Amino acid sequence: MRTGFSDYQTALVTGASSGIGAATVRRLCAEGIEVHALGRDTERLAALSAETGCRTLAVDLNDLGVLTRLAASAEFDILVNNAGQSRRGTILEMAADDVDSLVDINLRAVLHLVRLIVPDMVRRGRGHVVNISSIAGHYAFGENATTFNSSVAYHATKAGIHSLSQQLRVDLYGTPVRVTEISPGRVATSIFKNQVAADNPDARFVGGFETLGADDIADAIAFAVGSPDRMNVAMLEIVPTFQVVGDLRFARRTELSGADNA
C-alpha cells in the first residue's frame, strides 16, 4: 500500500521562518522530503537550513516574478500554503494598506502558487496541496475574539482559502492530486503569543488559556500527506480541547470544569 510519503519527494512550504511553517519543514524533512522553505527572516531561515538541511529562499510573496521562477525551478510534489498575516480592528477602522497586505499575502499569493505549481502536479500524476486556513474563515467572532485575533479582512481572506480548497478539489476531479485544508484554532505562534507580558495586548486572551503548538499542526499535515494514496483528508479543523468555537467561551487550564467568558 502506497502512502503520500512514498510517492512524494519535494515540497514547498511558505511562511517557513517560524511557527507552523518551520515546524512543517522539520516534519517533512524528517520524512526524507527535500523541502524548499520560503520566508522573510533570513537569519531564521539560515538556522532552519542548518538544522534540517532544507533549501531556503527569502522572498516577498508579492513578487510574482520570483514566484514564477521558483515554480519552474523544481517539480514540487507537496505545496504547503502557510504564510499569513493578521491585523486587529474592524473593517471600519482598517487602513487601506492593511487591507491590501492581508489580501496579497493571505489569498493572492496562494492563488498564484496554486496556478503556477498544481498544473505540473497534474501532468506528472502526483501531488498534494495543503492550505492553512483558520477557524476565523468559518465562524463569525464577536468583540472579544476580534480583539484577540484580527479583523474581518483576515476572516475574509481565510474564508477565501476555504472556498479555494473546496473548488480546487472540483477542478482536480479525476486526477490523483489531493487537496487538504487545515483550519487551526488557537496556536502558539507569532499571531497567538502564548505568554503574558505587560506590553502584549492579547495577554488577557492567552495567559491561562489552552493553546496548540506548531508541532501539533505539522503532525496533522504529515497525517494528511502521509495517508494512503486512495485517501484524501479534505479538511481538518484543529482546536484546543478547551476552545469551543460556537459559544465563544474559553476555559482556563486551571478550570477543568465549567468555562470562563473571556
Side-chain angles (χ1 to χ4, degrees), residues 112-134:
H112 280 308
L113 284 170
V114 166
R115 75 170 183 84
L116 289 168
I117 291 175
V118 174
D120 188 56
M121 292 180 176
V122 174
R123 182 185 61 80
R124 290 182 288 111
R126 69 174 186 269
H128 202 133
V129 180
V130 179
N131 294 324
I132 308 299
S133 63
S134 167

Side-chain angles (χ1 to χ4, degrees), residues 9-10 18 24 32 71-72 77 82 130 153 157 159 192 202 212 230 234 243:
Q9 301 176 19
T10 308
S18 62
T24 301
D77 299 317
N82 166 72
V130 179
T157 59
F192 300 135
D202 293 337
L212 301 172
R230 67 175 182 274
Q243 181 180 9

Side-chain angles (χ1 to χ4, degrees), residues 1-8 128 176 178 222-233:
M1 178 177 61
R2 293 186 305 168
T3 68
F5 284 128
S6 63
D7 285 343
Y8 303 152
H128 202 133
R178 301 184 290 181
F223 165 72
V225 172
S227 294
D229 57 4
R230 67 175 182 274
M231 172 178 164
N232 182 50
V233 180

Side-chain angles (χ1 to χ4, degrees), residues 168-192:
L168 186 56
R169 290 187 205 100
V170 175
D171 292 349
L172 291 171
Y173 176 75
T175 81
V177 179
R178 301 184 290 181
V179 180
T180 296
E181 176 189 357
I182 304 289
S183 182
R186 292 179 184 269
V187 182
T189 67
S190 59
I191 294 179
F192 300 135

